[in-house]
Amino acid sequence: EAGVTQFPSHSVIEKGQTVTLRCDPISGHDNLYWYRRVMGKEIKFLLHFVKESKQDESGMPNNRFLAERTGGTYSTLKVQPAELEDSGVYFCASSYGQGRDGYTFGSGTRLTVV
Amino acid sequence: QKEVEQNSGPLSVPEGAIASLNCTYSDRGSQSFFWYRQYSGKSPELIMFIYSNGDKEDGRFTAQLNKASQYVSLLIRDSQPSDSATYLCAVNIYNFNKFYFGSGTKLNVKP
């Protein structure tokens, strides 16, 4: 089965611009998660979808971040406008049921804001 | 205080030795504990998870959980150079859909 796929793998944008990250979960996985790792820090939770519904967005840093999962398939994470501190690696993960047995991560999108 | 603490390393062991990776957590509500391996530039890959006190073995890997002392460890027997990676400890606290990660321990296995 195909894994979790993220696009793009790298993105370099200027401060103030908009960037949209995409995640395609494993087919049939209702649960989709976004995490990020900023430089020198641990990986941190951003939010969790069940199908198209946001179950928990407690980790979203501010209203410059908008996540969507239309139709309950792929998800996008938009940052608008991007700030320097948004630089880091954004990971997407998915699971069939709850994350009790862990989940499968994508390889991440490395975002650099200059 | 961070929810999950790990020594960043690097931890260097010779090939064939046992590598011992440790992790402590702060919240006694933590319910499940995970070890992920991450090669540079790659996705975190689940190695093992453990829920109950004691040991859980899977091939060369053994996870150990001590809830009273709030630590979880990962032992890698017969370490191979291919085991060289960053090992991430993660816990769920009350919510199976939200992980708290440690910053990872870098392991170097020298041939």
Side-chain angles (χ1 to χ4, degrees):
Chain A
E1 86 186 337
V4 177
T5 307
Q6 293 187 245
F7 309 97
S9 57
H10 294 83
S11 180
V12 181
I13 62 171
E14 293 184 349
K15 177 182 173 180
Q17 288 187 323
T18 297
V19 63
T20 300
L21 313 180
R22 172 169 169 152
C23 169
D24 286 69
I26 292 173
S27 178
H29 281 194
D30 287 340
N31 292 271
L32 185 149
Y33 313 84
W34 284 97
Y35 284 75
R36 76 171 179 176
R37 185 171 196 165
V38 297
M39 186 65 69
K41 302 287 187 180
E42 61 275 13
I43 297 173
K44 286 196 171 181
F45 172 86
L46 294 178
L47 86 161
H48 166 222
F49 283 100
V50 176
K51 296 184 179 179
E52 67 276 7
S53 299
K54 293 177 187 174
Q55 291 295 110
D56 181 355
E57 50 184 332
S58 61
M60 295 288 263
N62 51 61
N63 60 10
R64 294 185 294 102
F65 289 76
L66 175 64
E68 296 180 320
R69 193 182 181 196
T70 306
T73 54
Y74 70 91
S75 174
T76 58
L77 180 64
K78 180 188 289 187
V79 185
Q80 178 182 29
E83 299 289 344
L84 299 178
E85 64 265 24
D86 300 332
S87 296
V89 182
Y90 289 76
F91 291 102
C92 176
S94 71
S95 66
Y96 175 71
Q98 286 190 47
R100 179 177 170 86
D101 295 338
Y103 26 77
T104 303
F105 280 87
S107 56
T109 294
R110 181 173 295 277
L111 174 64
T112 303
V113 183
V114 297
Chain B
Q1 183 182 13
K2 291 184 179 180
E3 290 85 3
V4 181
E5 299 268 10
Q6 291 182 260
N7 187 319
S8 61
L11 172 67
S12 292
V13 300
E15 183 175 356
I18 295 175
S20 178
L21 303 159
N22 299 309
C23 169
T24 58
Y25 59 95
S26 60
D27 197 317
R28 290 193 177 274
S30 300
Q31 296 176 296
S32 49
F33 307 85
F34 298 79
W35 283 100
Y36 283 85
R37 176 176 62 197
Q38 187 177 24
Y39 294 109
S40 182
K42 302 295 184 182
S43 58
E45 172 192 7
L46 180 65
I47 299 175
M48 295 187 69
F49 55 87
I50 186 168
Y51 305 135
S52 304
N53 273 327
D55 295 359
K56 179 181 178 182
E57 186 175 318
D58 184 359
R60 295 187 297 113
F61 299 97
T62 299
Q64 299 176 318
L65 175 60
N66 184 322
K67 289 188 176 181
S69 300
Q70 294 178 241
Y71 82 78
V72 57
S73 61
L74 179 70
L75 302 179
I76 307 174
R77 289 180 298 281
D78 188 24
S79 295
Q80 302 297 310
S82 58
D83 294 326
S84 297
T86 296
Y87 288 79
L88 301 165
C89 174
V91 305
N92 293 137
I93 305 174
Y94 302 113
N95 178 353
F96 289 122
N97 290 301
K98 184 174 182 179
F99 282 116
Y100 292 86
F101 280 88
S103 55
T105 298
K106 186 172 176 59
L107 173 67
N108 290 329
V109 181
K110 299 182 177 180

